Structure formats: C-alpha cells, structure tokens
Amino acid sequence: MPRRCMSVLGALGLLLIAATAWAGGPVQTLVLKEGQVFQVTLAANHTTGYKWMLAKMPDAKVVKLVNSEYVPAKPQAPDGKAPVGAGGQEVWAFQAVGPGRAMIVLNYARPWEKDKKPAKSRSLEVEVR
C-alpha cells in the first residue's frame, strides 16, 4: 500500500477514535506519538450564536492547537443555497508535541453569555508517548 494511502488511513483511524471519545460519555484517552496530527469534528450551528470554544488552552508542551474552522452544511435547496438556519461542523486540528498528558475541553456556548453554563461540553485526554 502506498505511503500516502497509509497516512490517510492512519488519519481516518485517529478521527474515528476522536469521534468515539467525544460522544458525550466518560472522558477517554487518545494515545499518540510525538508529531501526530488529529482532528475533532463536532456538529455546530453558528446561525444560533453558539460555537465551540476551548475552555482553556491545553498544555503546550504536550499538544497544540493547529487550526479550527467552521464548515457550513452543503446546499441542498434547488437554488444551490443552504437552508436558512442550517448548521454545519466545526473541525479542530491538534498536534501531539511532546511526551505527557493534556486535557482538551471544548464548550459549546455563545461567546457573549459569560455567566451562563455551556449548552454542551466535550473533554478528551491526550497522551503523547
């Protein structure tokens, strides 16, 4: 199997592991090697004002945030536009930096509602070996 295909399959495996860990159950641990990049995809709807936000930055010696982006739902209407109020997904990419453990905690909330509890929260422990 070509090296590029193996990388893609490896990345998909990490995505599946991360998706399972974020199902809302108990905190699970994602074990990675130094340098590995993984993504977490969460359903979101920015039209409501809610967005996923890091509760705090994870330990930078262990894992770092590479990128985050909102991907709106694909248009399904005959005119090629997404329906009003349609949601999408937030994709968060992280990289394992060095050995240790770090927690990634994301809260789904409206940024201006500082004193209100988040609508949802997801936690993932990352262990880098």
Side-chain angles (χ1 to χ4, degrees):
M1 182 176 274
R3 186 180 188 128
R4 184 176 178 108
C5 287
M6 289 174 52
S7 294
V8 170
L9 290 175
L12 288 175
L14 287 175
L15 286 172
L16 292 174
I17 291 168
T20 301
W22 290 68
V27 176
Q28 294 184 10
T29 302
L30 182 61
V31 180
L32 303 167
K33 293 181 181 176
E34 194 172 322
Q36 281 187 294
V37 175
F38 65 100
Q39 291 183 340
V40 176
T41 301
L42 298 165
N45 189 339
H46 283 194
T47 67
T48 63
Y50 284 92
K51 60 187 269 182
W52 288 99
M53 299 175 285
L54 280 169
K56 68 176 187 172
M57 290 302 285
D59 185 345
K61 296 176 186 171
V62 180
V63 65
K64 71 175 182 177
L65 174 64
V66 176
N67 187 31
S68 68
E69 68 175 320
Y70 179 69
V71 181
K74 294 192 188 243
Q76 296 179 358
D79 63 1
K81 295 181 181 177
V84 174
Q89 299 178 327
E90 285 191 41
V91 181
W92 293 74
F94 297 90
Q95 182 175 22
V97 177
R101 287 179 177 258
M103 287 295 295
I104 296 172
V105 179
L106 287 164
N107 292 327
Y108 192 60
R110 291 179 173 137
W112 64 88
E113 295 180 335
K114 303 289 184 202
D115 297 329
K116 192 171 179 184
K117 185 177 178 181
K120 301 176 191 175
S121 186
R122 298 293 182 259
S123 300
L124 176 68
E125 182 177 37
V126 177
E127 180 180 345
V128 181
R129 295 181 181 170

